[in-house]
Amino acid sequence: MDKLLIRGGRRLQGEVTISGAKNAALPDLCATLLSAEPVTLANVPQLQDVNTTIKLLANMGVAVQRAADRGDDQHDVITLDAGKVHNPEAPYELVKTMRASILVLGPLLARFGRARVSLPGGCAIGSRPVDQHIKGLQAMGAHIVVEHGYIEARGPLGADGQPGRLKGARITTDMVTVTGTENLMMAATLAEGETILENAAQEPEIVDLANLLIAMGARIEGQGTHRIRIQGVDALHGLTPAQAHQIIPDRIETGTFLCAVGAAGGDVTLRRTDAEQLEAVIDKLREAGVTVEPGADFIRVSASGRPKAVGFRTKEHPGFPTDMQAQFMALNCVAEGSAAIHETIFENRFMHVNELIRLGARVEVDGHTAVVTGVPALSGATVMATDLRASASLVIAGLVAEGETLVDRIYHLDRGYDRMEAKLRGIGADIERVKG
Ligand code: EPU
């Protein structure tokens, strides 16, 4: 298993280019199942989760062509052709490695009238059920049973006894769910009539997916608000390479680099990103004393000396993202003062705390609240990554710790960060991958 070896204490200086958003790329890749024509996506990040999704789609019969395979220099352009899907199934072997595989359920059911998708299990950050996805699809007339660990779904039976089109419905989810909203929005694009999604998630990744679907011919309004209206159409069309959908910049990768500079100090410009998607995090960084100067498609961040500890509460967008909680906690670990962090989205998202404590941090957890008291210096140690964002927080802590920090199990990091250690090296961090 690969590890990252970090020698802390370097200031960060220079430029980093931000990649396309993981949590937009995954639903966008699955949305290509909705059309019988090839769909081209651009600004696709190079990530293990993207590779897993491509494997999942290829296993169903989707033909995948990367621009690089055509001898093209554009590594971030991919064309997917779901014209010959023969196996509308997501097997356990793939789903168990990536919960976002559930995003094929809506598109498969909408286009083929049937789907067989392994039930995702629990994961390091909580039990994470998918009951809302199932409830919403049932409201659209789907017949769904869960047996032998699989969600077996088919569309409402037509007069010919065959599964037919889903029916538009008004759906109010019990809580705000990001992939739940995405699954239902995708399913509704090919349903008969109008679907209204109430209590919809407002994340920028939802807007990105809606924009892709609209470019493919879907009729959607209200994306980015709590009520999304979708008028079903008979079919969606493809997108040629010239019409490629550009995936939005990764706001969590952006926020991770902002926190790294805030904690380690330095002066860095993040290119190809969008500060507007990250206002809650930028506000908190400013409170911590970090200078953040947004431009049209870049952000300049600079910091010197210790930051000030800042408390926050995770919330759905536009609130403070749960996916930034661990990285901001790492910054608080070396800040002046103490601050309370409340995690409201996931039940078990403090797995990084014990590892941060191994590095000398002072953190006390009580239920959903972690109180961090900053220390003047962390000290390097061997630590273990437990999930994607926890790994990123350990890397940030390693950048500021005295001596050597070895972060083990970084396959979690590779799932969702595009060449993170290379990007950090590019701005002066002393970090290397140790193969193992
Ligand atoms: N929930 C249910 N039932 C459902 C759906 C959700 O109880 O049917 C609960 C969850 O257990 C959780 C809350 O609702 O407590 C919100 O979960 P949500 O469904 O919004 O999470 P998700 O869609 O599974 C996405 C991101 C996560 C991110 C969350 C919250 C993708 C592929 N994943 O997950 O990203 O943390 O939204 O913003 O978009 C990450 O990138 O590291 C990551 C975990």
Side-chain angles (χ1 to χ4, degrees), residues 325-363:
Q325 179 254 106
Q327 303 90 312
F328 211 106
M329 183 186 290
L331 178 141
N332 273 339
C333 285
V334 291
E336 276 172 15
S338 64
I341 297 174
H342 304 279
E343 172 58 54
T344 75
I345 307 291
F346 289 111
E347 60 190 27
N348 189 23
R349 213 175 192 180
F350 285 140
M351 302 280 282
H352 41 286
V353 168
N354 282 332
E355 301 303 301
L356 290 169
I357 289 173
R358 285 182 52 73
L359 295 171
R362 282 181 59 197
V363 189

Side-chain angles (χ1 to χ4, degrees), residues 22-23 26 99-100 103 125 128-133 175-180 182 203 322-323 345-346 349 388-389:
K22 168 178 87 82
N23 288 347
L26 304 183
R99 295 182 43 85
L103 285 165
I125 62 177
R128 299 181 76 183
V130 290
D131 55 305
Q132 301 300 309
H133 303 232
M175 78 285 295
V176 178
T177 153
V178 175
T179 50
E182 290 166 348
E203 269 64 8
T322 173
D323 289 346
I345 307 291
F346 289 111
R349 213 175 192 180
L388 172 56
R389 308 304 172 187

Side-chain angles (χ1 to χ4, degrees), residues 119-257:
L119 207 55
C123 70
I125 62 177
S127 68
R128 299 181 76 183
V130 290
D131 55 305
Q132 301 300 309
H133 303 232
I134 293 176
K135 188 181 103 172
L137 292 169
Q138 283 171 332
M140 296 170 81
H143 178 83
I144 299 183
V145 288
V146 179
E147 52 186 20
H148 309 302
Y150 276 80
I151 303 169
E152 308 268 0
R154 63 162 171 74
L157 293 184
D160 56 358
Q162 293 300 315
R165 278 175 82 176
L166 295 169
K167 310 237 179 297
R170 187 182 200 106
I171 301 165
T172 309
T173 45
D174 295 353
M175 78 285 295
V176 178
T177 153
V178 175
T179 50
T181 302
E182 290 166 348
N183 238 338
L184 299 176
M185 181 166 75
M186 289 191 279
T189 58
L190 293 180
E192 225 174 283
E194 181 179 70
T195 298
I196 299 177
L197 301 179
E198 301 279 7
N199 204 21
Q202 305 183 66
E203 269 64 8
E205 292 76 17
I206 305 275
V207 178
D208 181 78
L209 174 63
N211 288 342
L212 164 64
L213 295 168
I214 291 167
M216 292 165 69
R219 293 176 58 200
I220 303 175
E221 282 172 16
Q223 62 274 23
T225 75
H226 274 317
R227 178 181 295 127
I228 304 178
R229 265 174 203 273
I230 305 118
Q231 309 288 339
V233 296
D234 291 342
L236 296 182
H237 58 73
L239 295 176
T240 65
Q243 299 167 321
H245 172 75
Q246 286 284 336
I247 294 172
I248 55 170
D250 197 314
R251 63 196 165 100
I252 306 301
E253 186 193 20
T254 305
T256 301
F257 278 98

Side-chain angles (χ1 to χ4, degrees), residues 205 301 327 366 373 386:
E205 292 76 17
V301 53
Q327 303 90 312
D366 182 8
T373 303
T386 49

Side-chain angles (χ1 to χ4, degrees), residues 48-49 52-53 55-56 59 89-104 116-128 130 149-151 386-387 411-412 415:
Q48 204 46 48
D49 274 7
T52 305
T53 308
K55 211 158 141 189
L56 184 68
N59 187 53
E89 173 172 333
Y92 177 64
E93 291 65 45
L94 291 171
V95 177
K96 75 173 182 205
T97 66
M98 193 189 66
R99 295 182 43 85
S101 311
I102 189 71
L103 285 165
V104 299
R116 184 165 189 267
V117 177
S118 169
L119 207 55
C123 70
I125 62 177
S127 68
R128 299 181 76 183
V130 290
Y150 276 80
I151 303 169
T386 49
D387 74 68
Y411 57 86
H412 290 293
R415 286 188 48 193

